[in-house]
Amino acid sequence: MPWNTPGGGQGGGPQGPWGRGPNGPQPPDLDELLRRSQEKMRRVLPGGGGGSGGGRLIALVAAVGVAIWLGTGFYRVQPDEQGVELVFGRWVNTTTPGLHYNWPAPVGEVYKPAVTRVNRVEIGFRSGTDFGRAAGVREVNAESLMLTGDENIIDIDVTVLWRIKDAGAYLFEIQRPDTTIKSVAESAMREVVGQTPLQFVLTEGRARIEQQTRELMQATLDSYKSGVEVTQVQLQKVDPPQQVIDAFRDVQAARADQERLQNEAEAYRNSILPRARGEAERLIQEAQAYREQVVADAQGSAERFTSILTAYNESKDVTARRLYLETMEEVMAGMSKVLIEPGVAGGQGGGQSVVPYLPLDRLIREPAPRTGDGADMSSSSSSSGAAPAAQGNGTATPR
């Protein structure tokens, strides 16, 4: 033994492991230690020593051990978790956030998955920084290429967001939940796209496809009792295959030009038609106004003629003379003629010796008399009982 090497103790004797030499400290006696411990325990236990004391000690130790073991069954569920209790490997209960108790291991077991965390499934691509520095997205054509309802091929990248709504069903009703959810998402997307034309998928059908895919996914997962809720389906990319994308863009540009021209034609039509309708309405209203005017004039003329006829029947001479004078007034109103009474300035039947001054040149240069002036002159001519100047010798012709 290493402690038996010579020269270790006094007098050159061997040395032990607890001291130096045979005269040093000796190792403790294990039997003595056990005996003293038993005596102390007997003093503590009621009834003193004896054979029954050892049994009580064992029972006490066992009871303390069982109490400690049972105390390990308390557990806490965090606000973002659900507790799934198992007894002998069987799912028996699902608990909410807070302090709960279940049989401790190995009888019971508790799983606490996070149920508020939103998980992500990618179809048609893989995102991440480990795919290279230049591009952070890697395409997976086996998942992204799909057949549309009009037998065209389209390249679609989809992102599915989901969370756990029933932790027990999520853990024990399906195997490999992530793989199952991804397979269901891809299958639902292919089914919806396979029933939709290509043009509708590329233009205004994105929101509708997302909604239909989410509803179909949720129905399928509920039939599996997966305990999963699909919160959102997002179409990240919707393009034709790379081999024909240039030709397809040309077609799209032509269709955009067609729609633009159609919109311009619609705008032009919308600007022309209201003006045409307004012009037509204006002409109709003017025609109606003209018709009403003509009818009113005709009715007025008829009423005037009726009134004249009534007056003529009552006094024929006066009415005939008045009509004659009014007619001559209208006819000769714009003529450059001067009417004088017979006998004036030495005319027939006159007896005056003084020739009055008649400024014919000024009367000719001034505008012809209107209705009122002509009426006065005609009245003055007719009041003396003379015939009109056109029938006598009293007409003066200007130079």
Side-chain angles (χ1 to χ4, degrees), residues 355-375:
V355 178
Y357 171 70
L358 185 64
L360 297 178
D361 54 349
R362 190 178 66 182
L363 294 175
I364 292 173
R365 287 195 299 268
E366 289 181 355
R370 294 300 176 184
T371 304
D373 299 336

Side-chain angles (χ1 to χ4, degrees), residues 156-160 188-189 192-193 196 200-201 204-217 230-238:
I156 297 180
D157 292 345
V158 185
T159 299
V160 178
M189 179 58 65
V192 173
V193 173
T196 307
F200 185 75
V201 177
E204 69 270 15
R206 296 172 64 98
R208 178 179 173 184
I209 291 174
E210 291 175 351
Q211 180 180 0
Q212 291 180 351
T213 303
R214 188 188 67 80
E215 293 175 354
L216 183 58
M217 282 187 60
V230 181
T231 59
Q232 191 174 7
V233 176
Q234 299 176 349
L235 295 179
Q236 302 295 331
K237 182 188 72 173
V238 181

